[in-house]
Amino acid sequence: MSPMPSPSLPATVDASELAGRLRLSVTRLARQLRQTADTDLSPTQGAVLATISNHGPLTLGELAERERVAGPTITKVIGVLHARDLVSKTTDPDDRRYVHVELTATGAALVERSRARKNAWLARRLRELPPDDIERLAAVTDLLERLTGTTEVP
């Protein structure tokens, strides 16, 4: 028995099949971009640095909430990044229970270098596409941002 079409999807589109293809494509693209970044950071460490770059300084609680991870997880990740001099930690002078984190100069340089490498790789790939595909991809990117609720700086 075939799945019932959704009222918001054309009858010719199987939402489950489309979801699977989209998930796999996005996962592969993310993997290729991580490999292009040429860092030895884990995906979580890279994501945390990017979040701090975009929104920092942040408390550990704010960072855990933005990354959608538990407090102990963010504490461990920040411990590793701090040991590598990629982030600095400052205890809040008004409430010592709070720790603020921000990128160090080394961390900011790493994020910038990683972003530049990934953007350059992707731009080279985009230049291989015909103009019509570029326009379609621009529209799809708008849709993906709506779908994920994000419009952050990459």
Side-chain angles (χ1 to χ4, degrees):
M1 176 184 241
S2 65
M4 292 283 296
S6 166
S8 61
L9 290 174
T12 58
V13 175
D14 180 323
S16 294
E17 181 182 332
L18 178 59
R21 290 178 54 214
L22 178 60
R23 178 193 46 76
L24 187 56
S25 294
V26 169
T27 300
R28 285 181 174 155
L29 177 59
R31 183 183 320 118
Q32 288 175 325
L33 289 170
R34 275 194 311 274
Q35 291 168 347
T36 301
D38 196 30
T39 71
D40 60 349
L41 298 175
S42 72
T44 300
Q45 292 166 348
V48 166
L49 283 180
T51 297
I52 296 169
S53 175
N54 292 339
H55 303 286
L58 297 166
T59 66
L60 292 177
E62 291 167 336
L63 186 55
E65 186 176 318
R66 283 190 177 274
E67 289 300 308
R68 295 184 175 112
V69 298
T73 299
I74 210 67
T75 299
K76 182 178 177 182
V77 170
I78 289 299
V80 170
L81 297 174
H82 183 259
R84 295 182 59 182
D85 191 37
L86 299 175
V87 298
S88 63
K89 300 189 302 186
T90 308
T91 303
D92 188 305
D94 297 326
D95 190 338
R96 299 188 54 78
R97 294 174 296 173
Y98 293 101
V99 173
H100 299 268
V101 292
E102 61 185 308
L103 295 182
T104 62
T106 304
L110 178 72
V111 168
E112 184 56 38
R113 186 176 65 247
S114 174
R115 285 178 177 166
R117 287 179 60 89
K118 291 185 279 189
N119 287 346
W121 177 85
L122 196 50
R124 280 192 305 273
R125 298 297 307 262
L126 290 171
R127 283 191 287 274
E128 297 170 4
L129 298 175
D132 287 352
D133 285 353
I134 297 291
E135 288 180 21
R136 288 175 41 210
L137 194 51
V140 168
T141 301
D142 291 341
L143 292 173
L144 287 171
E145 288 173 346
R146 276 195 4 231
L147 181 68
T148 60
T150 59
T151 55
E152 288 187 9
V153 175

